[in-house]
Amino acid sequence: MSVNPMAYEAQFFGFTPQTFMLRIYVAFQDHLAHIMLVVEDTILNKLECIRPNKLTPSLIRRSTEQFFSLMKKIFNNLFGKMEDTLLKTVLSIPPNVLLPEDKGQEEFHYTPEQFQELQDEIDQLERQLKAESAAEQALLAELEEQKIVQAHLEGILQWFDGLENVGREEGVGNLKESFSALTKTTVKLQSVVREVEEKMNKLKK
């Protein structure tokens, strides 16, 4: 079978010429095998009427198989020539013929340099598209992080509001002033703790 892909012919016919030839080949092989079985069965039926008969069914089967093998060799030789003729003369599109759906190529003919420029432009646009897509993904990820941070901040604000409400209930007027006083007291306590530690260290010595 031919190894030429014949893609343009496949576009026109809707199938590859090689597939068409292969189906013809397989169909003939199937019919030849079927004919051999019919011939063998006919011979066996005729021989039943002949007595005495020296031809056995196994001998007839071997003879049929030999004849079938010979016919296959003859057909393969003929089919190769027929395939070559059909693929070159019947199932091929001449190089100077353009299919109707490809007529636009006659109007828009590009030189190799122009085609390369178009290809470079396409590559550049693809790179820009990938970069914009990556930037969009990064912005979406940042937006999700901002939503998480915003949710945390809202939680902290609610916590402060709760503290302020508790402070009002306990008689604390201003939460900010209370935190300021608490901070000063903490600093004083830290200073006292350091003094005590220093005195303890001196006593140990």
Side-chain angles (χ1 to χ4, degrees), residues 76-92:
N76 286 338
N77 291 331
L78 294 175
F79 184 82
K81 298 177 182 178
M82 180 179 69
E83 178 193 19
D84 186 61
T85 301
L86 290 177
L87 291 179
K88 288 182 178 178
T89 60
V90 179
L91 298 174
S92 65

Side-chain angles (χ1 to χ4, degrees), residues 87-142:
L87 291 179
K88 288 182 178 178
T89 60
V90 179
L91 298 174
S92 65
I93 298 176
N96 61 328
V97 175
L98 199 64
L99 296 180
E101 56 267 31
D102 296 330
K103 287 292 184 181
Q105 296 181 13
E106 291 181 334
E107 300 178 8
F108 303 99
H109 179 70
Y110 293 97
T111 63
E113 293 77 13
Q114 290 174 328
F115 179 79
Q116 186 60 44
E117 290 178 1
L118 290 174
Q119 188 63 47
D120 294 341
E121 185 177 353
I122 291 173
D123 294 340
Q124 182 180 359
L125 291 174
E126 288 180 349
R127 289 193 296 269
Q128 290 178 356
L129 181 61
K130 289 180 181 179
E132 291 177 0
S133 178
E136 181 181 1
Q137 293 298 325
L139 289 174
L140 291 174
E142 184 178 352

Side-chain angles (χ1 to χ4, degrees), residues 21-202:
M21 297 304 302
L22 178 61
R23 289 178 179 176
I24 292 178
Y25 180 82
V26 172
F28 182 85
Q29 295 280 4
D30 291 341
H31 284 297
L32 182 60
H34 176 69
I35 290 172
M36 290 297 101
L37 291 176
V38 172
V39 169
E40 180 182 310
D41 189 52
T42 302
I43 293 173
L44 289 173
N45 291 334
K46 294 292 183 181
L47 289 176
E48 290 179 356
C49 303
I50 301 175
R51 292 291 184 271
N53 182 15
K54 296 181 180 180
L55 296 176
T56 62
S58 60
L59 181 60
I60 294 173
R61 169 54 61 89
R62 286 197 301 272
S63 299
T64 304
E65 289 176 349
Q66 290 175 358
F67 183 69
F68 179 61
S69 178
L70 176 63
M71 291 296 294
K72 284 177 63 177
K73 289 180 181 179
I74 294 173
F75 174 73
N76 286 338
N77 291 331
L78 294 175
F79 184 82
K81 298 177 182 178
M82 180 179 69
E83 178 193 19
D84 186 61
T85 301
L86 290 177
L87 291 179
K88 288 182 178 178
T89 60
V90 179
L91 298 174
S92 65
I93 298 176
N96 61 328
V97 175
L98 199 64
L99 296 180
E101 56 267 31
D102 296 330
K103 287 292 184 181
Q105 296 181 13
E106 291 181 334
E107 300 178 8
F108 303 99
H109 179 70
Y110 293 97
T111 63
E113 293 77 13
Q114 290 174 328
F115 179 79
Q116 186 60 44
E117 290 178 1
L118 290 174
Q119 188 63 47
D120 294 341
E121 185 177 353
I122 291 173
D123 294 340
Q124 182 180 359
L125 291 174
E126 288 180 349
R127 289 193 296 269
Q128 290 178 356
L129 181 61
K130 289 180 181 179
E132 291 177 0
S133 178
E136 181 181 1
Q137 293 298 325
L139 289 174
L140 291 174
E142 184 178 352
L143 181 61
E144 290 298 323
E145 291 180 0
Q146 290 179 356
K147 289 181 180 179
I148 295 173
V149 172
Q150 183 178 1
H152 283 301
L153 290 175
E154 290 177 353
I156 293 172
L157 290 175
Q158 292 177 358
W159 181 71
F160 274 111
D161 290 340
L163 282 179
E164 190 171 356
N165 291 333
V166 170
R168 289 196 192 97
E169 293 176 0
E170 297 296 330
V172 178
N174 192 326
L175 187 61
K176 291 182 180 179
E177 293 178 359
S178 299
F179 271 114
S180 178
L182 182 61
T183 301
K184 292 178 181 179
T185 304
T186 302
V187 172
K188 290 180 181 179
L189 287 174
Q190 289 176 347
S191 177
V192 171
V193 169
R194 282 196 297 270
E195 291 178 2
V196 171
E197 289 178 349
E198 290 175 358
K199 290 180 181 179
M200 289 294 295
N201 291 330
K202 289 180 181 179

Side-chain angles (χ1 to χ4, degrees), residues 9-16:
E9 285 77 6
Q11 179 182 338
F12 176 72
F13 292 114
F15 56 84
T16 61

